[in-house]
Amino acid sequence: MKLLNISTLILCVSASGCSMLGQQKAEVPAKPEKSVSASQSWWPFGGDKKTKQTKVAKVDTKATQAWLDQYEPRLREAVKGSKLEVERRENVLVVTLPVDPSYNPDRPSMLLPITLGPITKVAKLVEGDTKTAVLVLGHADSSGKDEANRKLSQERAQSVAAIFRLSGLQRDRLSLKGLGSDMPRAANDSQQGRSLNRRVEMILTPQETLVALLAQYNKPAKPEAPGKAVEVVAADQTK
């Protein structure tokens, strides 16, 4: 199953997201965010400035694919033997950290020591490349209240982003977002499915690519044609 519909814009990326880097600090927002509808972007990066900048943003496919070819084997080697999983999705690399074996059951937003090494290796891999950007996305299952899930997913994303910051990655290349249960990988009607949905994703790609992907995602919808139903394009939430 695919987490995001990269054709839609994935990407990001499809969810993945982008920082519009440089405009968003990796910090927990003062207030929990509300759930989003299919027609509303959940991307944390907005603003008039960004909209103006991204009107001409375009993914350099050749350069991006060359970056992916270079980084994918190095990234897989960095997480080898750990619980982290690496997936290549069109124009991004996604490193997934499952929550259950990685966080303290008694303090659900605290990473276990065994997880710190692999994440640090990933952080060190990209820290020295000033052209690389990272978006950290926290995800939860649908158990409990939405507000609590969103807050917890944000805290978990922050705990991972903190390791990138400690490794030297600057804020203009690092962003994070807690999505709560908005982007499930599996159905939440089983223990296995809920376990798959509890995760933190680290999305890596060239900074310019991430910015361009965000620009595509935030393109305004076309006016509805008379007599035709509005077509809502939503990201594929299964993987």
Side-chain angles (χ1 to χ4, degrees), residues 27-223:
E27 297 177 351
V28 178
K31 296 181 179 180
E33 303 189 19
K34 297 180 180 179
S35 299
V36 296
S37 64
S39 61
Q40 176 186 8
S41 168
W42 52 258
W43 297 75
F45 323 108
D48 295 335
K49 253 185 203 181
K50 181 194 67 177
T51 301
K52 292 178 181 178
Q53 285 181 335
T54 57
K55 284 182 178 179
V56 296
K58 185 177 180 180
V59 175
D60 185 333
T61 302
K62 185 176 181 179
T64 300
Q65 293 303 312
W67 181 94
L68 295 174
D69 290 340
Q70 175 190 5
Y71 269 78
E72 184 176 5
R74 297 169 62 190
L75 197 54
R76 292 187 182 281
E77 182 63 28
V79 305
K80 189 176 180 179
S82 73
K83 297 294 184 180
L84 278 67
E85 304 170 357
V86 176
E87 179 186 358
R88 182 165 174 166
R89 297 187 197 147
E90 198 160 319
N91 291 314
V92 300
L93 291 172
V94 181
V95 182
T96 300
L97 174 71
V99 163
D100 291 350
S102 307
Y103 284 83
N104 188 327
D106 298 321
R107 302 185 66 181
S109 63
M110 177 180 287
L111 285 164
L112 292 172
I114 192 174
T115 309
L116 303 181
I119 298 176
T120 299
K121 288 181 180 180
V122 174
K124 284 297 184 182
L125 180 63
V126 301
E127 179 273 325
D129 183 355
T130 58
K131 295 182 179 180
T132 301
V134 179
L135 173 70
V136 182
L137 299 176
H139 302 271
D141 62 36
S142 61
S143 302
K145 296 182 178 180
D146 178 75
E147 182 176 321
N149 287 336
R150 200 170 298 281
K151 180 176 183 294
L152 180 57
S153 66
Q154 178 81 18
E155 292 172 347
R156 285 173 173 160
Q158 186 178 24
S159 69
V160 171
I163 297 177
F164 282 84
R165 288 288 294 124
L166 289 172
S167 296
L169 191 66
Q170 297 301 306
R171 290 186 184 279
D172 65 342
R173 294 194 287 131
L174 176 65
S175 292
L176 67 88
K177 179 70 175 178
L179 298 176
S181 60
D182 291 347
M183 304 294 292
R185 301 173 71 182
N188 282 291
D189 56 3
S190 70
Q191 183 176 352
Q192 181 180 16
R194 290 190 293 274
S195 179
L196 286 172
N197 293 333
R198 295 190 293 268
R199 68 201 189 277
V200 176
E201 292 178 322
M202 292 154 269
I203 296 168
L204 287 65
T205 197
Q207 181 170 351
E208 292 183 358
T209 298
L210 204 51
V211 169
L213 292 173
L214 179 64
Q216 294 175 35
Y217 190 89
N218 283 339
K219 281 183 178 179
K222 294 181 179 180

